[in-house]
């Protein structure tokens, strides 16, 4: 006990010796420190009818902690004609360029429990300048002493025009604003950071510098994914389908391999293709992909590919590509799928795909125009992200000439598949 | 004078009580442990010369077991107990088969001893020893960790406590360390690869048809349209992580002894790779007395959030209850680290359940509309007529706001990525998926998910330095650095450019230059930004001369935070987001402080 008594005494001495601390005694529970300004009320507001805050050019409310607005009366406020249509709250780094109403330095960001519900401010103040107001540390503001309320029962804000309001410098710290944005002075030096080389030697640092560069954003990654790998039950012979891809590379440039194929059991494979694509990020969400496609079944062709793959608004995964074959045939396909989480692991995935062709390709059974449309829905369960069995149903239609080709070959242009499969990646 | 308990005996007692770990290590100190099991918890190492042996081992927490990197045979590694005003010689012996390093996080020292391979030194090759000998110029609570590859995730970290040369302004009867971290049996490279592969691999709190998040259909569609997740709170979560208190899982039952009425100093260190924690001790007030090792004017709170790499010292005074739970809930509320203040061995208090997962808000998108607790209404305001307000051309972007009256606003022209709002030195690239259109100064924010909890929560504006800062100058210039990212691609950077693309273009300061640095967060994640080798002052509205000093500062989602830096430690220093996988993705830069000779 004696030991701790000494310690307490020591700490008291330290406290007493620190004037700024002494000043804070009793403010501890209020969530911030007082900057020394203690003017909360604005008594002149009582008398001045068109309230003029223009003299308050450098008001600093930033340390107010117990302001109470609760008695202000806004009960008859009518904002019905307010036009905020040109308000711009957006440009946070603009130099002050202030029209009559300029709240550009206001920062209300920390209001907690602010209640202005009974506000009673006069309207139409012509030279209202709050430009240096900073309310950033208000907690539980109480303006109850403003006293202007009773006299102004009917407040009409109906002609207020906020159309030129500029809140542009919203989030400035409360400290001086005259610190210039500037580059480092010449004495800061220039060129790469090489201080360690002067100590350890250029050669000794070389490898670690390269490692550092590579390890903070310069890595390559890769993955292999089977999006659909499934058994398809349908009228006639049941079939199978795979739809897989693999990628490797950095954040911007990647190599993609894609493969799709399908067929019916007991028959020759109907369709099989592999694409090899160079992929480059062209925006936050989309990659541009170009390369070649080789078909291994049906009408065997080699195609040039140009496509776009990415994530569309509303989280649709989309992939669209144009194919130009060595025979000069132009075709296209586009697909979209969407993960709908029923639970964290049970996911319903609608999916649609459309294939188009610029011309008839009889040996492939493709007619000009819309070739096929597929629409399906799959329900998967993610035991882990990498392993998700699914069941689903998919409808496929051949249209136009493609349908005719199908009928001529003795096939139904409309096929319904009940599918069971596995989605997995590694 | 007061420190009877920050001793090996107390700390080991904690370990012994917690699941039968051996009290006496089987290995001889200073020898490689090979691939044997590592111990949970740490010893204390002190004196003028300390040896640290880095080696691989297997680590078991609860029912899970995985690869670990241990220092002196334990995870975390030893507590380094240093003394201000003395000189210390720290020898790091690398028993791994790859390079390693140790960064002394928060210690002021010559840059070439700071332990960042490629910045301060070449790294420590396998089998070799690196010696860092330097005078200890400060006191307080710090920590150390590897700065090589992703070794920190594997257990290569430990606490540092520096006792002051003079009397300590913080009086306490007991003095404890609580080092928070995570364990995963997954190799950190796999964690990184899964993050890169996408699908928000570790997030099992996404919105779904069956969730009970208080969101309207309109809000859900708005998030989907933005291609963002309101549940992106932390990138890696439980169950991939087990959260650790001094290396112990929540079921281990780590205990801190107390007697009712004692003043207990608890030095809390967030040594995790990827986790912010919300700290509470139900039934007790927490008096924050130091932040990042620097004494602050005492602030009494009920809860506070600690960002990765931050430290807070608190004083608590447990009273009559026989036990109190020390709860460190992950910010995403997927799990917690747990310890107990116990007046007798085995005493336990109720452990509060995990609270509902938080959701990101308008303010987190950089919209600055969703002001907590703001009351727009009711009472006699009911006569207000906003009926004809026309906000149609307001540049506010999307309003998923909780403010119900805005439901009819036209959000049709929202733009979450208005690059015209960026300064010219921010590169517009695929690595930038969002621009905060109106980034508020959010240094008064308690942290994601703590806007509406019960009790008082600490925020940066509560911090006031205990002693007057020694540099009273107004900064001669200011600069702005944007924190940028792409969640879908898992890219993170400063000013739109990953370190790998700007490794030869450091941020430069003249010697002893005083600069105001504003960090603007153009992402929806909170980033703990750490500058090596310095303390900066938070520009938080503290009285002149008493801005608190820190080495790591959280920049809240969609907001800004500002510090004043006196660049008086010459050399090259790392500057980065301390979320390990963000740094590893490119959110890293080198700060070069010119030498005094250059100033002439």
């Amino acid at each position: 006990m004696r030991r701790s008594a000494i310690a307490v005494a020591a700490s008291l001495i330290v406290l007493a010796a620190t004037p700024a601390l002494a000043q804070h005694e009793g403010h501890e529970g209020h969530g911030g420190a007082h900057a020394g300004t203690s003017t909360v009320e604005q008594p002149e507001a009582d008398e001045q009818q068109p309230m003029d805050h223009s003299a308050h050019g450098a008001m600093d409310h930033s340390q107010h902690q117990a302001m109470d607005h609760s008695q202000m009366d806004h009960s008859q406020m009518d904002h019905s004609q307010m036009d905020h249509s040109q308000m711009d709250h957006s440009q946070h780094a603009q130099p002050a360029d202030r029209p009559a109403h300029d709240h550009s330095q206001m920062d209300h960001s920390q209001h907690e429990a602010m209640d202005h519900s009974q506000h009673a401010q006069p309207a139409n103040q012509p030279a209202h300048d709050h430009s240096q107001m900073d309310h950033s540390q208000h907690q539980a503001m109480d303006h109850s002493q403003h006293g202007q309320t009773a006299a102004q029962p009917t407040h009409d804000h109906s002609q207020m025009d906020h159309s030129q309001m500029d809140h542009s410098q919203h989030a400035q710290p409360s400290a001086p604003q005259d610190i210039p944005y500037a580059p480092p002075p010449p004495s800061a030096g220039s060129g790469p950071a090489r201080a360690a080389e002067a100590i350890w030697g250029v050669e000794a640092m070389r490898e670690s510098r390269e490692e550092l560069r590579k390890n903070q954003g310069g890595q390559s990654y890769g993955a292999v994914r089977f999006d659909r790998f499934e058994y398809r039950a349908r009228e006639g012979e049941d079939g199978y389908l795979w739809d897989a891809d693999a990628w490797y590379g950095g954040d911007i440039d990647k190599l993609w391999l894609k493969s799709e194929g399908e067929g019916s059991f007991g028959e020759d494979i109907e369709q099989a293709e592999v694409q090899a694509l160079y992929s480059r990020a062209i925006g936050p969400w989309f990659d541009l992909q170009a390369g070649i496609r080789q078909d291994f079944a049906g009408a065997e062709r080699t195609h040039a590919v140009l496509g776009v793959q990415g994530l569309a608004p509303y989280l649709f995964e989309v992939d669209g590509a144009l194919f130009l074959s060595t025979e000069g045939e132009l075709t296209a396909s586009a697909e979209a799928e969407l993960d709908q989480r029923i639970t964290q692991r049970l996911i319903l995935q609608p999916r649609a795909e459309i294939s188009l062709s610029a011309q008839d390709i009889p040996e492939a059974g493709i007619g000009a125009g819309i070739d096929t449309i597929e629409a399906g829905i799959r329900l998967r369960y993610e035991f882990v992200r990498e392993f998700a069995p699914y069941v689903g149903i998919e409808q496929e239609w051949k249209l136009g000439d493609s349908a005719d080709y199908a009928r001529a070959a003795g096939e139904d242009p409309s096929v319904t598949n009940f599918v069971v499969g596995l989605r997995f990646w590694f | 004078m007061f420190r009877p308990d920050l001793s090996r005996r107390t700390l080991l007692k904690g370990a012994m009580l917690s699941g039968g770990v051996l009290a006496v290590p089987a290995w001889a100190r200073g020898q490689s442990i090979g691939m044997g099991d590592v111990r949970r918890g740490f010893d204390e190492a002190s004196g003028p010369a300390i040896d640290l042996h880095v080696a691989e081992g297997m680590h078991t927490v609860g029912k899970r077991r995985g690869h670990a990197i241990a220092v002196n045979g334990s995870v975390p590694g030893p507590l380094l107990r240093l003394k201000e005003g003395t000189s210390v010689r720290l020898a790091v012996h690398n028993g791994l088969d790859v390079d390693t390093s140790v960064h002394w996080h928060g210690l002021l020292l010559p840059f070439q001893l700071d332990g960042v391979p490629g910045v301060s030194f070449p790294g420590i090759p396998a089998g070799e020893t690196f010696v860092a000998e330097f005078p200890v110029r400060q006191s307080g609570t710090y920590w150390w960790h590897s700065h090589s590859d992703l070794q920190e995730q594997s257990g290569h970290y430990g606490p540092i406590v520096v006792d002051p040369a003079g009397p300590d302004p913080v009086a306490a009867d007991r003095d404890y360390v609580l080092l928070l971290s995570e364990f995963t049996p997954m190799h950190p490279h796999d964690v990184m690869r899964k993050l890169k592969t996408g699908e928000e691999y570790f997030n099992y709190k996404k919105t779904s048809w069956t969730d009970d998040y208080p969101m309207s259909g309109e809000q859900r569609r708005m998030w989907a349209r933005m291609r963002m997740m309101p549940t992106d709170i932390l990138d890696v979560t439980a169950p991939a992580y087990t959260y650790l208190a001094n290396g112990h899982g929540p079921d281990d039952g780590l205990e801190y002894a107390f007697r009712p009425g004692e003043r207990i100093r608890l030095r809390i260190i967030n040594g995790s790779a990827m986790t912010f924690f919300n700290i509470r001790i139900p039934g007790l007030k927490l008096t924050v007395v130091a932040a990042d090792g620097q004494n602050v004017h005492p602030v009494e709170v009920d809860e506070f959030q600690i960002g990765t790499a931050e430290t807070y010292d608190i004083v608590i005074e447990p009273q009559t209850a026989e036990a109190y739970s020390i709860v460190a809930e992950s910010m995403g509320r997927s799990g917690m680290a747990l310890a107990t203040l116990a007046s007798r061995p085995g005493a336990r208090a109720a452990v509060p359940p995990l609270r509902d997962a938080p959701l990101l808000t308008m303010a987190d998108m950089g919209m600055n509309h969703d002001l907590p607790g703001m009351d727009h209404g009711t009472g006699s305001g009911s006569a207000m007529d906003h009926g004809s307000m026309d906000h149609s051309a307001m540049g506010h972007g999307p309003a998923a706001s909780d403010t119900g009256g805005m439901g009819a606003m036209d959000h049709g022209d929202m733009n979450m990525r208005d690059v015209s709002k960026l300064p010219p030195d921010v590169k517009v690239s695929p690595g930038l998926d969002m621009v905060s259109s109106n980034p508020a100064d959010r240094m008064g924010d308690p942290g994601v998910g703590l806007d509406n909890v019960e009790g008082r929560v600490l925020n940066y504006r509560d911090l006031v330095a205990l002693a007057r800062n020694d540099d009273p100058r107004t900064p001669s210039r200011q600069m702005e650095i944007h924190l940028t990212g792409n969640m879908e691609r898992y890219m993170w950077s400063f000013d739109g450019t990953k370190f790998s693309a700007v490794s030869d273009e450091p941020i430069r300061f003249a010697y002893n230059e005083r600069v105001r640095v504003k960090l603007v967060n153009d992402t929806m994640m909170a980033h703990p930004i750490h500058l090596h080798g310095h303390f900066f002052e938070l520009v938080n509205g503290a009285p002149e001369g008493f801005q608190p000093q820190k080495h790591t500062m959280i920049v809240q989602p969609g907001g800004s935070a500002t510090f004043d830096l006196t660049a008086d430690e010459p050399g090259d220093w790392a500057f980065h987001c301390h979320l390990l996988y963000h740094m590893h993705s490119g959110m890293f830069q080198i700060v070069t402080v010119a030498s005094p000779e250059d100033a002439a």
Side-chain angles (χ1 to χ4, degrees), chain A residues 3-4 6-8 11 14 18 20-21 24 28-29 31-34 63 73-75 77-85 87 89-90 92 107-118 136-137 170-171 173-176 179-185 187-196 199-200 204-205 208-209 212-213 215-219 221-223 225 247 251-252 281 283-287 311-315 340-345 348 385-386 423 425-426, chain B residues 1 4 111-112 117-122 130 169 171 173 192-194 196-197 199-201 203-210 221 224-227 229 297-298 368 371-373 375 377-378 380-381 383-386 388-391 393-396 417 421 430 432-433 437-442 444-445 456 461-462 464 466 475-478 480 486 488-489 491 498-500 503-504 506 508-510 513 516 539-541 543 546 562 572 583-586 588 590 592 594 598:
Chain A
R3 191 169 48 204
S4 71
I6 293 168
V8 168
S11 72
V14 171
T18 313
L21 292 177
H24 289 294
E28 227 178 292
H34 234 273
Q63 304 300 328
D73 181 5
H74 284 212
S75 59
M77 267 167 93
D78 177 2
H79 287 214
S80 62
Q81 299 300 317
M82 275 168 85
D83 179 2
H84 288 211
S85 62
M87 264 168 96
H89 287 212
S90 54
H92 73 283
D107 181 358
H108 287 214
S109 64
Q110 293 306 316
H111 286 178
E112 292 183 26
M114 197 170 148
D115 184 352
H116 285 204
S117 60
Q118 305 199 357
S136 62
Q137 298 215 351
H170 251 251
S174 52
I179 303 170
Y181 279 93
S187 58
S190 60
R194 292 290 184 270
I199 296 188
W200 308 103
M205 286 299 294
S208 63
R209 286 203 295 108
L212 180 81
R213 192 194 65 76
N215 275 337
Q216 327 299 330
Q219 311 93 327
Y221 297 90
R225 181 178 64 162
W247 60 266
D251 291 317
I252 304 299
W285 318 105
F286 282 94
D287 294 342
L311 188 68
Y314 297 100
L315 299 169
Q340 292 278 302
R341 281 177 300 277
I342 297 171
T343 69
Q344 295 299 318
R345 293 176 187 273
L348 193 65
R385 295 258 189 257
E386 293 94 330
R423 181 183 192 271
W425 57 270
F426 50 86
Chain B
M1 170 167 95
F111 83 92
Q112 66 269 25
V119 178
S120 41
F121 80 136
F130 178 82
D173 303 305
M192 184 71 197
R193 202 174 74 86
K194 289 178 196 307
K196 279 281 185 188
T197 310
E199 310 204 354
E200 294 167 76
Y201 187 93
N203 185 354
Y204 278 98
K205 289 185 183 296
K206 295 179 187 173
T207 52
S208 75
W209 291 3
T210 53
R221 285 190 293 279
R225 180 167 53 182
M226 295 193 302
R227 292 163 281 193
M229 294 287 283
H297 185 60
N368 193 22
L371 306 182
D375 182 354
T378 64
S380 53
M384 282 167 84
D385 178 5
H386 287 224
S388 298
M389 278 170 85
D390 177 4
H391 288 221
M394 273 167 87
H396 289 205
R417 191 176 180 264
K421 305 271 169 61
L432 177 88
D433 67 8
S437 63
N438 187 19
D441 180 339
R442 298 191 70 190
D445 197 286
R456 183 177 172 194
R461 291 193 184 143
D462 295 329
V464 177
L466 188 59
S476 59
R477 64 179 174 105
Q478 58 181 316
E480 198 169 289
N486 182 324
E488 177 70 13
R489 296 183 190 275
M491 295 170 71
K498 297 183 294 182
F499 177 70
S500 53
S503 57
D504 280 340
R508 288 191 167 270
F509 295 108
E513 191 184 8
R516 174 157 298 177
V539 180
N540 66 344
F546 290 88
T562 304
D572 291 342
M583 177 179 81
H584 205 56
S585 301
F588 182 98
I590 298 174
T592 290
D598 295 334

Side-chain angles (χ1 to χ4, degrees), chain A residues 110-332:
Chain A
Q110 293 306 316
H111 286 178
E112 292 183 26
M114 197 170 148
D115 184 352
H116 285 204
S117 60
Q118 305 199 357
H119 242 278
Q121 264 199 347
N124 302 324
Q125 304 96 325
H128 210 130
D129 182 0
H130 287 213
S131 65
Q132 299 296 322
M133 271 172 86
D134 181 354
H135 288 210
S136 62
Q137 298 215 351
H138 287 178
Q139 296 188 16
M141 272 170 82
D142 180 354
H143 284 203
S144 62
Q145 301 308 310
H146 275 219
Q148 66 209 97
T149 55
Q152 298 163 336
T154 314
H155 250 297
D156 184 355
H157 284 213
S158 63
Q159 298 305 312
M160 260 170 98
D161 181 1
H162 287 211
S163 64
Q164 297 300 319
M165 256 171 102
D166 180 358
H167 285 207
S168 61
Q169 297 206 354
H170 251 251
Q172 292 289 343
S174 52
Q177 295 305 304
D178 51 6
I179 303 170
Y181 279 93
S187 58
S190 60
R194 292 290 184 270
E197 288 182 351
I199 296 188
W200 308 103
V202 175
E203 208 43 49
M205 286 299 294
R206 188 187 309 279
E207 198 182 329
S208 63
R209 286 203 295 108
E210 179 52 25
E211 275 289 295
L212 180 81
R213 192 194 65 76
K214 204 185 90 194
N215 275 337
Q216 327 299 330
Q219 311 93 327
S220 289
Y221 297 90
V224 176
R225 181 178 64 162
F226 279 75
D227 195 33
R228 291 179 294 160
F229 185 65
E230 67 195 23
Y231 182 92
R232 322 185 108 202
R234 59 196 175 200
E235 277 185 38
E237 289 294 338
D238 288 352
Y240 54 87
L241 176 144
W242 78 83
D243 175 3
D245 52 45
W247 60 266
Y248 181 82
D251 291 317
I252 304 299
D253 300 300
K254 290 183 174 74
L255 174 69
W256 274 79
L257 298 174
K258 300 181 182 179
S259 178
E260 246 183 280
E262 60 182 309
S264 297
F265 291 104
E267 296 176 10
D268 282 347
I269 189 163
E270 191 179 313
Q271 183 237 328
E273 64 172 56
V274 174
Q275 299 179 34
L277 306 168
Y278 163 72
S279 174
R280 183 169 176 82
I282 52 170
W285 318 105
F286 282 94
D287 294 342
L288 184 68
Q289 301 184 327
I292 57 166
R293 170 182 135 191
Q294 179 64 49
D295 299 343
F296 292 100
E300 293 189 19
R301 292 277 197 281
T302 304
H303 310 253
V305 184
L306 182 65
V308 172
Q309 179 175 336
L311 188 68
Y314 297 100
L315 299 169
F316 286 95
E317 299 257 9
V318 298
D319 186 359
L322 292 169
F323 306 98
L324 182 64
S325 78
T326 47
E327 308 292 317
E329 299 138 349
L330 182 66
T331 56

Side-chain angles (χ1 to χ4, degrees), chain B residues 323-337:
Chain B
Y324 298 86
S325 293
I326 304 173
V327 178
E329 171 189 70
S330 79
M331 181 167 69
R333 318 264 167 100
S334 62
M336 62 171 72

Side-chain angles (χ1 to χ4, degrees), chain B residues 17 30 92 164 170 174 178 286 509:
Chain B
L17 290 168
V92 182
V170 179
R174 294 174 189 258
L178 171 57
L286 319 176
F509 295 108

Side-chain angles (χ1 to χ4, degrees), chain B residues 26-59:
Chain B
W27 49 279
R29 171 168 286 194
Q31 287 184 359
S32 167
I33 53 162
M35 284 299 286
D37 272 22
V38 304
R39 291 175 305 118
R40 286 167 281 171
F42 46 80
D43 293 338
E44 179 181 317
S46 58
I50 295 172
D51 288 288
L52 298 173
H53 294 265
V54 185
E56 285 184 273
M58 291 301 287
H59 196 202

Side-chain angles (χ1 to χ4, degrees), chain B residues 531-572:
Chain B
L531 174 62
H532 287 223
H534 293 78
F535 286 91
F536 46 69
E537 299 171 18
L538 303 191
V539 180
N540 66 344
E544 193 188 342
F546 290 88
Q547 293 184 148
Q549 300 206 20
K550 288 185 102 267
H551 53 56
T552 304
M553 179 176 77
I554 299 171
V555 190
Q556 300 294 347
S560 73
T562 304
F563 63 74
D564 287 343
L565 172 70
T566 298
D568 56 359
E569 299 287 339
D572 291 342

Side-chain angles (χ1 to χ4, degrees), chain B residues 42-255:
Chain B
F42 46 80
D43 293 338
E44 179 181 317
S46 58
I50 295 172
D51 288 288
L52 298 173
H53 294 265
V54 185
E56 285 184 273
M58 291 301 287
H59 196 202
T60 306
V61 177
K63 294 187 174 68
R64 309 165 84 194
R65 188 172 162 82
H67 167 267
I69 297 175
V71 177
N72 291 2
S74 65
V75 171
L79 162 66
L80 306 185
R81 190 76 186 270
L82 311 180
K83 175 83 175 171
E84 183 184 18
T86 67
S87 191
V88 67
R89 182 181 187 279
L90 300 162
V92 182
H93 309 278
N94 185 2
L96 305 176
D97 51 15
V98 294
D99 282 15
T100 194
S101 58
V102 179
H103 164 56
W104 323 98
H105 187 116
L107 295 194
L108 300 169
L109 39 56
F111 83 92
Q112 66 269 25
L113 305 180
D114 191 49
V116 183
V119 178
S120 41
F121 80 136
I124 312 171
E128 297 198 10
T129 294
F130 178 82
V131 177
E133 188 164 7
F134 55 91
V136 180
R137 296 155 53 187
Q138 64 200 97
S139 64
T141 305
Y142 307 96
W143 63 301
W144 55 267
H145 59 86
S146 171
H147 229 287
S148 298
D149 197 33
L150 299 170
Q151 293 172 2
E152 187 194 326
Q153 175 82 85
S154 301
H156 189 332
Y157 52 80
I160 299 175
V161 170
V162 186
D163 295 313
D168 197 315
V170 179
D173 303 305
R174 294 174 189 258
D175 194 337
Y176 289 123
V177 170
L178 171 57
L179 173 59
L180 301 167
S181 60
E182 322 107 338
F183 169 73
T184 176
M186 211 177 275
H187 193 285
H189 286 154
D190 289 336
V191 175
M192 184 71 197
R193 202 174 74 86
K194 289 178 196 307
L195 288 167
K196 279 281 185 188
T197 310
E199 310 204 354
E200 294 167 76
Y201 187 93
F202 298 100
N203 185 354
Y204 278 98
K205 289 185 183 296
K206 295 179 187 173
T207 52
S208 75
W209 291 3
T210 53
D211 69 44
D212 44 16
Y213 288 121
M215 295 175 77
S216 68
E218 186 191 8
Q219 288 171 333
R220 288 163 193 265
R221 285 190 293 279
M222 189 269 307
W223 282 97
R225 180 167 53 182
M226 295 193 302
R227 292 163 281 193
M228 305 263 178
M229 294 287 283
T231 55
D232 267 340
I233 309 297
L234 292 170
D235 295 336
V236 189
T237 63
Y241 279 156
T242 300
Y243 298 105
L244 305 180
N246 289 358
H248 299 283
D251 299 330
D252 286 357
L254 176 68
E255 288 182 1

